[in-house]
Amino acid sequence: MVTPLHNLSRYRVLLASGSPRRKELLAMLGVEFTRPEVIDIPETYPSSLPAVDVAEYLAVKKAEAYKSVLAPADLCITADTVVILGGEVLGKPDSEHEARRMLRALSGKTHQVTTGVAVTTIDRMESFTAITEVTFADLTDDEIDFYIARYSSMDKAGAYGIQEWIGCIGISGIEGSFYNVMGLPLHRLYSLLLKF
């Protein structure tokens, strides 16, 4: 049976991300892909950039770094996810103390998760931002400590993974794509890949 994304058969699809979640999510679309050697790109952005534009800015920045090594038949997917609370961008925490601070700040509030995605070939780049609203119930210190002790919060924007224990017990509402919060908005990405 021919996959709906049969148009991608002319490309070597590259997922330029070290995230195991993005690898799992892209595989769910039925896309065959490889992961290129990681190019270390500083996740910095202009302080004047609106918070809602940060993820796409970083995804495009990553795409531009990989573009110089693409072959004519390569199609490269890059992405970045950030959590925004009250206009503040919450990236990945650099310590357990920072993870605890982030989760306490998110407790009982609604925040935005934005994922920027760029799809790049040697002669074309398309990018977009997906936004999901996530509401946390009030979290106790014991719940936060339990999560940090047993799960890896250091490699996740906002210090949490929606698919993990904290998402099960703490998230009381979500508006938008669940997969976006995991790190790759699959519906939007699928729609874009159909155009290549």
Side-chain angles (χ1 to χ4, degrees):
M1 176 176 280
V2 178
T3 171
L5 286 171
H6 60 86
N7 58 304
L8 296 184
S9 63
R10 56 188 266 222
Y11 293 108
R12 180 177 73 136
V13 179
L14 305 173
L15 175 62
S17 171
S19 165
R21 291 165 299 282
R22 290 198 182 107
K23 179 183 177 184
E24 176 188 345
L25 291 170
L26 186 57
M28 287 172 65
L29 286 183
V31 175
E32 290 187 18
F33 63 92
T34 59
R35 296 209 281 182
E37 187 174 327
V38 175
I39 298 174
D40 193 25
I41 298 128
E43 295 189 358
T44 56
Y45 52 88
S47 58
S48 59
L49 192 67
V52 74
D53 296 331
V54 168
E56 187 172 346
Y57 175 90
L58 293 174
V60 169
K61 185 177 179 180
K62 292 174 185 179
E64 288 169 345
Y66 280 93
K67 191 167 186 175
S68 63
V69 298
L70 293 183
D74 287 348
L75 180 145
C76 183
I77 299 168
T78 54
D80 197 89
T81 301
V82 299
V83 168
I84 303 169
L85 178 65
E88 179 189 359
V89 173
L90 305 181
K92 298 171 186 172
D94 55 15
S95 66
E96 285 190 5
H97 173 76
E98 180 72 1
R100 198 168 281 109
R101 183 192 73 79
M102 287 182 181
L103 289 171
R104 283 187 180 131
L106 294 170
S107 174
K109 297 187 181 74
T110 298
H111 62 275
Q112 291 181 318
V113 177
T114 64
T115 299
V117 177
V119 178
T120 310
T121 64
I122 58 166
D123 56 7
R124 178 178 176 188
M125 181 190 295
E126 301 276 345
S127 65
F128 66 86
T129 297
I131 303 172
T132 303
E133 301 271 340
V134 179
T135 302
F136 264 106
D138 291 321
L139 300 172
T140 67
D141 286 346
D142 285 346
E143 288 167 341
I144 291 171
D145 290 343
F146 177 86
Y147 176 68
I148 290 173
R150 285 166 179 78
Y151 295 85
S152 177
S153 57
M154 310 303 250
D155 68 339
K156 298 174 181 76
Y160 78 91
I162 192 172
Q163 72 280 9
E164 296 175 338
W165 182 83
I166 196 92
C168 298
I169 66 99
I171 291 177
S172 60
I174 178 172
E175 185 175 335
S177 168
F178 172 87
Y179 297 115
N180 180 47
V181 185
M182 279 184 71
L184 206 56
L186 293 182
H187 172 72
R188 290 280 304 275
L189 177 58
Y190 174 76
S191 299
L192 178 56
L193 289 174
L194 284 171
K195 299 174 183 175
F196 273 78

